[in-house]
Amino acid sequence: MTAPDGSRIADELEIHRLNALYNWACYERDAEAYAACFTPDGVYESGNTGSRNSGHEALAAGIRAAADSAWLMGHVTADSLVDIDGDEATQKVFVLLYRRESTDGDNAFFASGRYQDSLVRTAGGWKYSHRTSYIDRSQLPWARHAPRSPAG
Protein backbone atom coordinates (compact mmCIF):
# COMPACT_ATOMS: atom_id res chain seq x y z
CA MET A 1 0.00 0.00 0.00
CA THR A 2 1.31 3.44 -0.90
CA ALA A 3 1.47 6.12 1.78
CA PRO A 4 -0.59 9.25 0.96
CA ASP A 5 2.59 11.33 0.68
CA GLY A 6 4.11 8.95 -1.90
CA SER A 7 7.02 7.99 0.36
CA ARG A 8 6.68 4.29 -0.44
CA ILE A 9 6.98 5.05 -4.13
CA ALA A 10 10.03 7.22 -3.45
CA ASP A 11 11.58 4.40 -1.37
CA GLU A 12 10.97 1.85 -4.12
CA LEU A 13 12.44 4.15 -6.77
CA GLU A 14 15.51 4.67 -4.61
CA ILE A 15 15.92 0.90 -4.21
CA HIS A 16 15.56 0.45 -7.99
CA ARG A 17 18.25 3.11 -8.44
CA LEU A 18 20.47 1.22 -5.98
CA ASN A 19 20.06 -1.87 -8.19
CA ALA A 20 21.20 0.18 -11.20
CA LEU A 21 24.16 1.65 -9.29
CA TYR A 22 25.20 -1.88 -8.31
CA ASN A 23 24.92 -3.12 -11.91
CA TRP A 24 27.00 -0.22 -13.26
CA ALA A 25 29.63 -0.57 -10.52
CA CYS A 26 30.06 -4.24 -11.48
CA TYR A 27 30.23 -3.45 -15.19
CA GLU A 28 32.69 -0.59 -14.73
CA ARG A 29 34.65 -2.54 -12.08
CA ASP A 30 34.38 0.42 -9.74
CA ALA A 31 35.27 -1.10 -6.37
CA GLU A 32 34.39 1.97 -4.30
CA ALA A 33 31.02 2.50 -6.00
CA TYR A 34 30.26 -1.21 -5.54
CA ALA A 35 31.10 -1.18 -1.83
CA ALA A 36 29.08 2.02 -1.39
CA CYS A 37 25.94 0.06 -2.36
CA PHE A 38 26.25 -1.80 0.97
CA THR A 39 26.11 -0.83 4.62
CA PRO A 40 29.59 -0.71 6.24
CA ASP A 41 29.09 -4.27 7.55
CA GLY A 42 27.15 -5.39 4.47
CA VAL A 43 27.44 -8.90 3.06
CA TYR A 44 27.42 -10.25 -0.50
CA GLU A 45 26.90 -14.01 -0.60
CA SER A 46 26.70 -16.57 -3.37
CA GLY A 47 23.78 -18.88 -2.78
CA ASN A 48 25.43 -21.29 -5.22
CA THR A 49 28.87 -21.60 -3.64
CA GLY A 50 28.39 -20.18 -0.14
CA SER A 51 31.26 -17.75 -0.64
CA ARG A 52 30.76 -14.37 0.98
CA ASN A 53 32.37 -10.98 1.33
CA SER A 54 31.61 -8.92 4.44
CA GLY A 55 32.39 -5.25 4.95
CA HIS A 56 33.43 -2.56 2.50
CA GLU A 57 37.07 -3.62 2.16
CA ALA A 58 36.24 -7.25 1.35
CA LEU A 59 33.45 -6.18 -1.01
CA ALA A 60 35.75 -3.78 -2.85
CA ALA A 61 38.51 -6.41 -3.00
CA GLY A 62 36.21 -8.74 -4.93
CA ILE A 63 35.69 -6.11 -7.62
CA ARG A 64 39.40 -5.25 -7.69
CA ALA A 65 40.16 -8.94 -8.35
CA ALA A 66 37.72 -8.92 -11.27
CA ALA A 67 39.44 -5.81 -12.63
CA ASP A 68 42.55 -7.94 -13.19
CA SER A 69 40.59 -10.11 -15.60
CA ALA A 70 39.95 -9.62 -19.30
CA TRP A 71 36.55 -11.19 -18.69
CA LEU A 72 33.75 -8.57 -18.69
CA MET A 73 30.25 -9.02 -17.27
CA GLY A 74 27.06 -6.99 -17.31
CA HIS A 75 23.90 -7.33 -15.22
CA VAL A 76 20.31 -6.60 -16.17
CA THR A 77 17.84 -6.68 -13.28
CA ALA A 78 14.07 -6.74 -13.68
CA ASP A 79 10.77 -7.42 -11.94
CA SER A 80 11.88 -6.25 -8.52
CA LEU A 81 9.47 -6.98 -5.69
CA VAL A 82 10.17 -4.75 -2.69
CA ASP A 83 8.57 -5.00 0.74
CA ILE A 84 9.26 -2.05 3.05
CA ASP A 85 8.80 -2.08 6.80
CA GLY A 86 9.91 1.24 8.26
CA ASP A 87 13.67 1.59 7.77
CA GLU A 88 14.14 -1.99 6.60
CA ALA A 89 13.18 -3.68 3.36
CA THR A 90 13.47 -6.95 1.49
CA GLN A 91 13.69 -7.40 -2.24
CA LYS A 92 13.73 -10.23 -4.72
CA VAL A 93 14.74 -9.36 -8.25
CA PHE A 94 15.57 -11.32 -11.40
CA VAL A 95 19.01 -10.92 -12.96
CA LEU A 96 20.22 -11.70 -16.48
CA LEU A 97 23.97 -11.86 -16.96
CA TYR A 98 25.96 -11.40 -20.15
CA ARG A 99 29.68 -11.50 -20.73
CA ARG A 100 32.53 -10.90 -23.11
CA GLU A 101 35.82 -12.78 -23.00
CA SER A 102 37.72 -9.67 -24.17
CA THR A 103 37.13 -5.96 -24.55
CA ASP A 104 36.48 -6.39 -28.30
CA GLY A 105 34.65 -9.73 -28.02
CA ASP A 106 31.01 -10.48 -28.70
CA ASN A 107 28.45 -10.23 -25.93
CA ALA A 108 26.92 -13.55 -24.90
CA PHE A 109 24.07 -14.29 -22.52
CA PHE A 110 25.31 -16.84 -20.00
CA ALA A 111 22.99 -17.05 -17.01
CA SER A 112 19.81 -16.01 -15.33
CA GLY A 113 19.08 -15.96 -11.65
CA ARG A 114 17.88 -13.80 -8.83
CA TYR A 115 19.01 -11.71 -5.92
CA GLN A 116 17.44 -11.94 -2.48
CA ASP A 117 18.19 -8.75 -0.56
CA SER A 118 17.86 -7.26 2.88
CA LEU A 119 18.12 -3.48 2.81
CA VAL A 120 18.41 -0.72 5.40
CA ARG A 121 17.57 2.97 5.12
CA THR A 122 20.71 4.94 6.07
CA ALA A 123 21.55 8.64 6.18
CA GLY A 124 22.98 8.10 2.68
CA GLY A 125 19.87 6.34 1.37
CA TRP A 126 18.89 2.70 1.00
CA LYS A 127 21.79 0.20 1.12
CA TYR A 128 22.08 -3.55 0.93
CA SER A 129 22.79 -5.09 4.32
CA HIS A 130 22.81 -8.59 2.83
CA ARG A 131 22.63 -9.56 -0.84
CA THR A 132 22.50 -13.20 -1.89
CA SER A 133 22.72 -14.27 -5.53
CA TYR A 134 21.23 -17.49 -6.86
CA ILE A 135 22.41 -18.23 -10.40
CA ASP A 136 20.52 -20.79 -12.50
CA ARG A 137 23.51 -22.86 -13.55
CA SER A 138 25.91 -25.17 -11.80
CA GLN A 139 29.19 -23.88 -13.25
CA LEU A 140 29.82 -20.20 -12.59
CA PRO A 141 32.19 -18.76 -15.19
CA TRP A 142 33.46 -15.95 -12.97
CA ALA A 143 35.06 -18.59 -10.75
CA ARG A 144 37.85 -18.38 -13.29
CA HIS A 145 39.38 -15.10 -14.37
CA ALA A 146 41.03 -14.98 -17.77
CA PRO A 147 44.26 -13.05 -17.29
CA ARG A 148 44.27 -9.66 -18.90
CA SER A 149 46.74 -9.34 -21.74
CA PRO A 150 49.69 -7.00 -21.10
CA ALA A 151 48.29 -4.61 -23.74
CA GLY A 152 45.17 -4.31 -21.53
Side-chain angles (χ1 to χ4, degrees):
M1 187 61 125
T2 302
D5 65 358
S7 61
R8 180 174 177 80
I9 292 171
D11 285 340
E12 286 195 33
L13 285 173
E14 187 177 337
I15 290 169
H16 291 184
R17 180 172 171 75
L18 177 65
N19 294 336
L21 291 169
Y22 175 94
N23 294 348
W24 277 104
C26 289
Y27 183 78
E28 294 175 337
R29 298 175 175 170
D30 186 333
E32 287 69 34
Y34 175 81
C37 292
F38 292 82
T39 59
D41 60 346
V43 174
Y44 170 84
E45 181 173 15
S46 167
N48 295 75
T49 66
S51 66
R52 58 192 285 147
N53 292 326
S54 300
H56 277 193
E57 187 49 44
L59 291 162
I63 297 299
R64 285 189 200 103
D68 291 334
S69 170
W71 194 77
L72 303 170
M73 180 172 59
H75 298 65
V76 177
T77 48
D79 296 336
S80 169
L81 290 177
V82 177
D83 290 309
I84 300 169
D85 185 11
D87 290 337
E88 296 181 354
T90 58
Q91 171 184 229
K92 60 183 177 180
V93 60
F94 287 115
V95 62
L96 301 175
L97 301 164
Y98 63 93
R99 56 114 174 114
R100 291 184 304 196
E101 292 292 334
S102 66
T103 55
D104 61 350
D106 293 331
N107 288 321
F109 167 79
F110 75 88
S112 60
R114 67 184 169 89
Y115 290 114
Q116 185 70 44
D117 301 318
S118 296
L119 301 103
V120 176
R121 184 193 322 265
T122 70
W126 286 96
K127 305 289 181 183
Y128 304 117
S129 58
H130 196 118
R131 173 162 253 209
T132 304
S133 65
Y134 299 92
I135 304 304
D136 301 331
R137 64 184 285 167
S138 59
Q139 293 186 348
L140 303 178
W142 56 80
R144 65 166 176 77
H145 293 289
R148 185 178 288 194
S149 69

